[in-house]
Amino acid sequence: MQKSQKEHLYKILVIGDLGVGKTSIIKRSVHQNYSPNYRATIGVDFALKVLNWDADTVVRLQLWDIAGQERFGNMTRVYYREAIGAFIVFDITRPSTFEAVMKWKEDLDSKLTLSNGTNVPAVLLANKCDQGGELLMNNGLKMEQFCKENGFVAWFETSAKENINIEEAATCLVKHIIASESDLLQAEVSSTVSPQLNSPKNSSCSACFKS
Ligand code: GTP
Ligand code: MG
């Protein structure tokens, strides 16, 4: 007899300033290729990444590749609707894109919350790490602090060009989404069955906050 397969479909946002590498990260992750040519995304693009999560679970990530220039428009509220996780990307060679990370995070958190009022899990990607960027990156502790202060569940140095940490970041985000989903379920169960029951908070992830 065949065991029934569980399927999850998650809408994931990929946001960050112009040219930081969002489309390239998605291309690397979904199609295993990379192009050095830059063609700005207009509006939003979509891609589907399928992960064989474990023996009986398939996870489908619907990746929403939102153009960097959309931060200045008023469509993000529409694009964010019903997303369940996010990557916020910056380019380690351009400090202004790191400053914009907070603006993206604020935009996201002000327009999107889960049904229990918490923010969706967001992972910070320091992209183009093949370019060096020691100045910004050799202080992992500072990045960890930044993540804690700004509500990121984890951060990764990535390179779409060299295929560094792209899969690891996706796995980490999915782990946090699954944890936040089970928190939501617990909250629902405890509010309908036993109002006194507290939902356990356990969203730690072995891939996160590497020192
Ligand atoms: P918008 O669509 O305008 O928001 O930009 P984007 O964030 O989608 O950037 P895109 O992926 O188009 O990449 C911009 C440029 O950076 C392209 O020329 C890419 O080839 C380059 N790039 C992307 N990722 C990397 C990387 O990891 N390393 C290096 N060296 N270049 C990269
Ligand atoms: Mg793009």
Side-chain angles (χ1 to χ4, degrees):
M1 199 168 66
Q2 229 195 350
K3 249 182 30 190
S4 67
Q5 280 242 322
K6 276 181 284 177
E7 293 219 3
H8 296 284
L9 177 66
Y10 297 137
K11 172 176 171 180
I12 310 288
L13 305 168
V14 185
I15 54 180
D17 263 6
L18 275 164
V20 295
K22 300 176 297 294
T23 302
S24 304
I25 288 169
I26 292 171
K27 226 179 186 178
R28 168 63 73 191
S29 179
V30 176
H31 305 293
Q32 289 82 41
N33 61 25
Y34 172 79
S35 156
N37 305 321
Y38 174 39
R39 262 183 54 209
T41 304
I42 310 292
V44 63
D45 259 335
F46 308 95
L48 186 72
K49 181 175 174 64
V50 181
L51 289 169
N52 293 312
W53 190 249
D54 60 31
D56 48 20
T57 316
V58 173
V59 171
R60 292 178 202 279
L61 302 181
Q62 192 184 72
L63 299 165
W64 285 51
D65 177 6
I66 295 170
Q69 58 198 17
E70 288 294 315
R71 183 157 66 82
F72 308 102
N74 47 20
M75 284 298 285
T76 56
R77 189 184 299 279
V78 177
Y79 298 147
Y80 293 170
R81 199 171 289 156
E82 291 183 15
I84 199 157
F87 290 114
I88 301 187
V89 188
F90 72 99
D91 173 347
I92 60 163
T93 68
R94 286 187 295 142
S96 67
T97 67
F98 179 66
E99 283 147 30
V101 161
M102 261 146 26
K103 300 189 178 125
W104 280 104
K105 185 75 166 67
E106 280 161 18
D107 191 56
L108 178 69
D109 291 344
S110 66
K111 293 174 180 166
L112 179 70
T113 45
L114 296 171
S115 60
N116 63 356
T118 61
N119 298 324
V120 298
V123 169
L124 179 62
L125 303 183
N127 193 41
K128 307 195 188 180
C129 71
D130 56 279
Q131 298 278 76
E134 289 84 0
L135 250 181
L136 191 68
M137 284 302 119
N138 64 6
N139 201 335
L141 267 181
K142 259 198 184 150
M143 285 300 286
E144 201 170 305
Q145 186 68 24
F146 177 85
C147 284
K148 283 190 179 142
E149 282 169 8
N150 293 282
F152 287 94
V153 296
W155 73 282
F156 289 85
E157 287 177 271
T158 56
S159 168
K161 185 178 178 199
E162 307 289 344
N163 194 16
I164 299 169
N165 278 339
I166 307 286
E167 289 305 304
E168 289 80 354
T171 304
C172 175
L173 183 59
V174 171
K175 279 185 187 168
H176 281 277
I177 289 170
I178 289 172
S180 78
E181 266 196 328
S182 79
D183 273 2
L184 282 176
L185 275 175
Q186 289 270 1
E188 263 173 40
V189 168
S190 55
S191 66
T192 51
V193 177
S194 161
Q196 292 91 347
L197 217 66
N198 281 326
S199 64
K201 283 270 167 288
N202 179 16
S203 55
S204 66
C205 162
S206 59
C208 303
F209 296 132
K210 14 174 210 148
S211 51

